[in-house]
Every structure is written in C-alpha cells, then in structure tokens.
Amino acid sequence: MSKFNSSIWSVCGVIVLSGSLSGCISSNDHLNMQSITASNNNKDRLAVRSITVFGDSFNDVGTFQGATNDPANLGKATVNPGKIWVENIATYFDVSLKPNRSLTMDKDASSGATTEIGTATVIGGNGYAESGARVAMLPSQSGVGNNQLVAPVKQQIANYIAAKGKFTANELVIIDGGTNDTYAQFSALCFGTNDNGLGSGNTTLLIANEQIVAAANAQVDNIKNIVANGAPLVLVGAAADWTNTPFATTYLNAAYQATDCSTPVSAQQITNWTKRFNQILKNGVAQLPGVIYMDMWKPMNDAIANPTQYSLENVNKAACINTKPTSSGVFCTQSTLAASDAAQTWLWSDSFHPTPRGHQIMSDLALSLLEPVAMKAQ
C-alpha cells in the first residue's frame, strides 16, 4: 500500500452531515482531496480482510460480558446490545470483531456491588480494547472489573504480538487512548486516589501535568510499535475532552469542586490536559506511513451544539437508569432506558459513554476517512 498523507483528515469533524468538505478545509486541502479521491478505485486502496482494535471503553466490544451474567447483554459501555463505532466499521468491511478477553466484576472497582475479586480469561478475539484502560500505566479506571487486570493499551499490543507476531498485509488497526489518563489525574487530585504509584493524596498538579505528557508519548510509541510490526493501515482516535459529559456536570461544577475535592480540578484543566495529549499524539504520528489521526470527538461536540441536526432530543443526561449492580453502561439494556427510543435520540448512555447513536456519529466520520484508502475485500 502506498504511503498516503494522513494530515488532511483531521481538519473537519462534521462531514457526516454535509456530505461535503466545503467550508471545512482550505483550497490546498481541496487539491489534496482531489488527488486522493481520484485514486479511490485504484490498487493502492487496502482490501480489508480483518480488523484489530486496541484502546479503552470507547473501543471495547464486550470484555465485560462475563460481568453481566446475561447472555443477551454483551457488556459494552453503551446501550446493549447496540453497536459501538468500531463494530460499525467492522460491519461495513464485512469482518468480525469479538473481544479478546472476558473480565468479571471486582469488589473494589464496582464500589462494593460484588464481594468477588475480578478475573480475566483469554477468549481469543481481535477486540483487545478494555474498558478502563490507560495508555501504559496501572491501575486502570474501569469502575467494573479488577483495575490491576484491565490491560493498558501498551500491554494489549504486547499481548497481540506475543500471540500472533506481526500484523497481516490486509489488516486495519484501530486504536484510541488517553481519556482514562486524564481521568486518572483528575481522580488523583480531586479524590486523592493512588493512580500514579505515589501513595494516596500525593499527586500534585505538576506531577499530573507530567503524567499527561508521559501518557501521550507512550501512545505515540504504541502506534510506532504497531507500524513497526507490519500494520498497513492504522486509525488513531484522539482522547476525549470529557468536560461535556453528564459526569462533568456533577463533578466539575464549582460547588462540588469547592467542597468535595482535595485539590480542585477545573473543567479548563481537563480541556488543557486533553489538548496537550492530543497535540503530542497528532504530531508524533504525522509522518508515520499508513496512519490516520482522527478527532473522533469533533462530531460529538457538534452534536451537542446542534442536536436537532442529528435528530437528538437529549445531549445532557444519561439515558441509562440502571443502578444494579452499578450505573455503568456495561449493565445498560433497552429495558433500562429513561425513554424507549433513547438509544437513538439521546447522546449519552451512562455518565461517560455514548449511546449507539453517538457511536454512529463517530463511525460516520471514521468511514469517511477510511473510504479513500480502504475497501471491502472481494
């Protein structure tokens, strides 16, 4: 496959609505677009025969099904059994996508919803992403399973290479990460948790800032490792600025910060961390062959600003009202929704994760980026 230029693909996040890039890119980008579009049907497009996914809850295709005790609930952080964005991509390319491991609930991560210690079992699928995963560090941030067992993205990649060696010539790799790293620093400062191995309450803002930079550089190294091991096409999802989530409404507001945080962390701080992480990531992968950087949250932010254009009725609250065993989207199904059509008309499933409609908004953007360089295998 030819070494295409991925930099023009990170400019516009609202392609899904307009069907055109007009107004989103410069005249020079239009020229680049024309040259790539002209090659849409030529032999340089990758015929996708398999997809491998690394990352966190936004990419997790069912690692926690074993925690639900419900064969009909796949344990994804959305409204189950609805598809998440990477599954939409797999469907488009007519390939399968199954979790690599099965994790059960843990007494600590689930705030006492169980008395059991979470376990992990390899089941062999190509969905290595696990809810709660940080880029390279433990503890993870799952809120459901054992946070010493949820594999960081770095370990997920190592597990793949140990099991399969190099990536294949017709393999699309999708990876995200970083959101749990910004959350971990918020938690370490605000809640005083021991997320940096320094002891509870010992993280300072300076340390947190350094951890964000370290995580971003580690994610760049993760992607370099994937490319070095033969992956012909890699779609890289940016970290999420979660200041517009229902979680943020509760925990980033001034009143909560003033009374319940050991060290207050403002919404602007989360935004700054996210921007710093994503800029390091974007710059670090810009010259890697076959790598596309995707700001998967741009269309989500546009949906929040313009909900009616996306046929959304609620972009502020969680659609899932389940409380047992926890309020996580992992345990959310059609029967636990605030409204019967909320999976398609609300943006958020739980306090942190998109509904299937939210995931579709992201996958529409992803497929628009992949179409010029990838095609279904014949």
Side-chain angles (χ1 to χ4, degrees):
M1 180 177 174
S2 63
K3 296 181 180 181
F4 54 85
N5 183 345
S6 64
S7 62
I8 68 168
W9 297 112
S10 61
V11 181
C12 178
V14 292
I15 301 170
V16 293
L17 284 182
S18 64
S20 167
L21 295 179
S22 298
C24 299
I25 55 180
S26 68
S27 58
N28 286 338
D29 287 325
H30 274 299
L31 293 175
N32 288 335
M33 185 63 167
Q34 290 168 2
S35 66
I36 290 181
T37 301
S39 69
N40 271 4
N41 295 314
N42 70 21
K43 62 183 179 181
D44 286 338
R45 293 171 75 201
L46 180 73
V48 176
R49 299 186 184 279
S50 65
I51 295 179
T52 296
V53 177
F54 304 107
D56 53 32
S57 55
F58 301 121
N59 288 10
D60 186 343
V61 296
T63 299
F64 284 105
Q65 183 173 16
T68 70
N69 293 317
D70 180 359
N73 181 355
L74 301 180
K76 297 175 285 187
T78 187
V79 180
N80 289 281
K83 290 182 179 180
I84 66 171
W85 74 287
V86 294
E87 291 178 298
N88 292 337
I89 294 172
T91 297
Y92 176 83
F93 287 108
D94 294 330
V95 297
S96 63
L97 193 53
K98 303 293 183 183
N100 181 258
R101 299 204 300 172
S102 175
L103 273 71
T104 61
M105 288 187 68
D106 179 76
K107 62 184 180 63
D108 294 325
S110 63
S111 302
T114 179
T115 59
E116 301 297 319
I117 296 175
T119 62
T121 304
V122 175
I123 55 179
N126 48 351
Y128 286 77
E130 298 185 358
S131 295
R134 292 164 73 178
V135 167
M137 285 190 65
L138 292 171
S140 299
Q141 311 288 312
S142 76
V144 177
N146 189 323
N147 283 320
Q148 294 298 327
L149 294 180
V150 172
V153 180
K154 181 178 180 179
Q155 186 60 52
Q156 295 169 22
I157 297 167
N159 290 345
Y160 175 96
I161 293 172
K164 300 186 179 182
K166 290 185 176 295
F167 296 91
T168 64
N170 295 91
E171 190 166 1
L172 167 62
V173 177
I174 304 175
I175 180 173
D176 83 328
T179 305
N180 284 316
D181 291 274
T182 62
Y183 175 81
Q185 299 314 313
F186 163 81
S187 181
L189 289 169
C190 180
F191 303 146
T193 52
N194 182 21
D195 288 296
N196 296 314
L198 304 173
S200 299
N202 290 331
T203 292
T204 64
L205 182 58
L206 176 61
I207 291 171
N209 291 340
E210 292 172 344
Q211 289 294 322
I212 297 300
V213 172
N217 286 320
Q219 186 73 333
V220 172
D221 288 341
N222 284 340
I223 296 159
K224 287 181 177 178
N225 190 23
I226 291 170
V227 172
N229 279 279
L233 182 60
V234 185
L235 181 64
V236 177
D241 180 349
W242 46 269
T243 57
N244 53 13
T245 63
F247 179 91
T249 300
T250 300
Y251 294 100
L252 294 182
N253 71 76
Y256 183 91
Q257 290 284 310
T259 59
D260 293 282
C261 267
S262 300
T263 301
V265 182
S266 67
Q268 187 59 53
Q269 183 63 70
I270 303 300
T271 296
N272 291 345
W273 282 338
T274 306
K275 286 182 176 178
R276 180 63 172 144
F277 182 98
N278 286 339
Q279 193 60 57
I280 292 171
L281 176 62
K282 184 177 180 181
N283 291 345
V285 304
Q287 301 304 316
L288 295 178
V291 174
I292 301 174
Y293 174 88
M294 173 183 167
D295 188 347
M296 54 201 279
W297 300 100
K298 272 192 175 182
M300 291 284 286
N301 291 335
D302 188 65
I304 292 171
N306 305 287
T308 57
Q309 295 184 33
Y310 292 82
S311 300
L312 290 169
E313 298 174 4
N314 191 310
V315 296
N316 301 309
K317 296 181 179 180
C320 303
I321 58 175
N322 52 285
T323 58
K324 295 181 180 180
T326 77
S327 60
S328 169
V330 166
F331 305 105
C332 179
T333 65
Q334 182 65 34
S335 65
T336 64
L337 293 178
S340 60
D341 61 351
Q344 293 301 321
T345 60
W346 292 38
L347 187 63
W348 302 107
S349 60
D350 59 17
S351 62
F352 231 103
H353 301 97
T355 59
R357 175 61 180 136
H359 278 284
Q360 183 185 1
I361 291 169
M362 292 191 290
S363 62
D364 284 347
L365 174 58
L367 288 170
S368 75
L369 304 184
L370 290 169
E371 196 279 336
V373 293
M375 63 183 182
K376 301 176 186 178
Q378 301 300 315

